[in-house]
Amino acid sequence: MTTENHSENSGEKRPRRFDLIAFDWDGTVADSTAIITRSIQEAVRDVGGTVPSDEQAAYVIGMALMPALARAAPDVPPEKYPELGNRYRHHFFKHQDDICLFDGILSLLGDMRARGHWLAVATGKSRMGLSHALQDPQLKGMFDGSRTADETAGKPSPLMLHELMAEFGVEPERTLMIGDTTHDLQMAVNAGCACVGVSYGAHAPDNFAQFDPLFVADSARQLHQWLAENA
């Protein structure tokens, strides 16, 4: 399907600024920051490392798993990385079914689809983890594409976005990346795309300005309103 056909079939009454909207998952779509933070801390404790603070553990959310764990636990030797990764997965999988979507996200996604945007996920999760999350019946058919950190380069490399843009035939200036971390926003800058930050996830928005986001939303509902008026 070409971008032109996608627009014609959308039935929208005014031009779109962006054809492709890519969402980070954890901390942007799913309210998972606290569970991921605790899972990182428990994994580091299990292998005898210095347990990172909440802020230190939350900072690495969005990165590929092993680089994230290595950064969160700099005193854990590389030979313990396999065990560290296994312990993280153990703790996270125990609680992954407790994770819910942020209030207002489903309405936002549904409206963006109705407007004719392509929707994608660009996440530091594994393919297995994202596939599990997308089993939610409410999300069936909601996303047109996705990339995970274990099948391409992790953030802030722009490769995820480059691959998604190539898949849909969309130029960088017609692509928007939405995320809750500096890793997400840096990836967008590296890919030549516009970005929007959300302040309700893993990173406080204090350092977002350097990436020149078009907007920083304080809630999914505020993000929905901005997208409806500006995307």
Side-chain angles (χ1 to χ4, degrees):
M1 180 186 292
T2 66
T3 301
E4 290 76 17
N5 288 339
H6 195 56
S7 179
E8 290 170 3
N9 293 335
S10 70
E12 67 178 19
K13 299 179 180 179
R14 59 188 175 82
R16 279 196 315 269
R17 180 175 181 180
F18 300 107
D19 297 310
L20 173 63
I21 303 177
F23 293 84
D24 169 61
W25 191 262
D26 291 306
T28 301
V29 172
D31 188 3
S32 50
T33 298
I35 287 175
I36 295 174
T37 297
R38 288 197 300 270
S39 298
I40 291 171
Q41 292 169 327
E42 291 301 318
V44 175
R45 181 179 289 110
D46 288 349
V47 301
T50 301
V51 177
S53 66
D54 289 352
E55 182 179 3
Q56 290 167 331
Y59 176 79
V60 304
I61 294 175
M63 299 169 63
L65 179 59
M66 289 318 302
L69 293 175
R71 178 152 186 168
D75 63 337
V76 173
E79 57 268 24
K80 285 193 172 184
Y81 286 176
E83 181 186 2
L84 180 61
N86 287 336
R87 295 310 297 167
Y88 169 80
R89 285 184 281 268
H90 167 78
H91 290 292
F92 179 79
F93 290 155
K94 282 197 306 184
H95 298 287
Q96 65 178 341
D97 291 331
D98 299 332
I99 295 171
C100 61
L101 303 179
F102 284 107
D103 188 31
I105 281 291
L106 282 174
S107 175
L108 180 162
L109 295 172
D111 280 1
M112 292 306 103
R113 283 199 66 80
R115 284 165 51 106
H117 299 279
W118 279 301
L119 304 184
V121 177
T123 178
K125 296 179 80 64
S126 67
R127 173 53 62 185
M128 181 175 69
L130 181 62
S131 294
H132 180 88
L134 291 175
Q135 288 176 5
D136 185 335
Q138 300 177 100
L139 294 170
K140 184 177 181 180
M142 195 69 79
F143 292 100
D144 301 291
S146 61
R147 289 297 185 279
T148 61
D150 61 339
E151 62 189 11
T152 185
K155 302 170 186 177
S157 167
L159 189 57
M160 285 189 198
L161 290 177
H162 284 165
E163 290 181 355
L164 287 166
M165 288 187 285
E167 179 177 340
F168 295 102
V170 179
E171 297 299 318
E173 60 268 21
R174 303 286 297 178
T175 301
L176 177 67
M177 176 67 201
I178 300 174
D180 67 308
T181 72
T182 55
H183 315 306
D184 300 314
L185 306 191
Q186 181 68 68
M187 176 175 67
V189 171
N190 292 345
C193 302
C195 61
V196 163
V198 302
S199 66
Y200 54 79
H203 287 190
D206 304 12
N207 294 319
F208 286 1
Q210 62 185 306
F211 306 107
D212 198 24
L214 299 178
F215 184 64
V216 177
D218 294 330
S219 68
R221 295 186 185 281
Q222 193 178 77
L223 175 61
H224 187 172
Q225 180 178 356
W226 186 90
L227 290 171
E229 295 172 355
N230 296 278

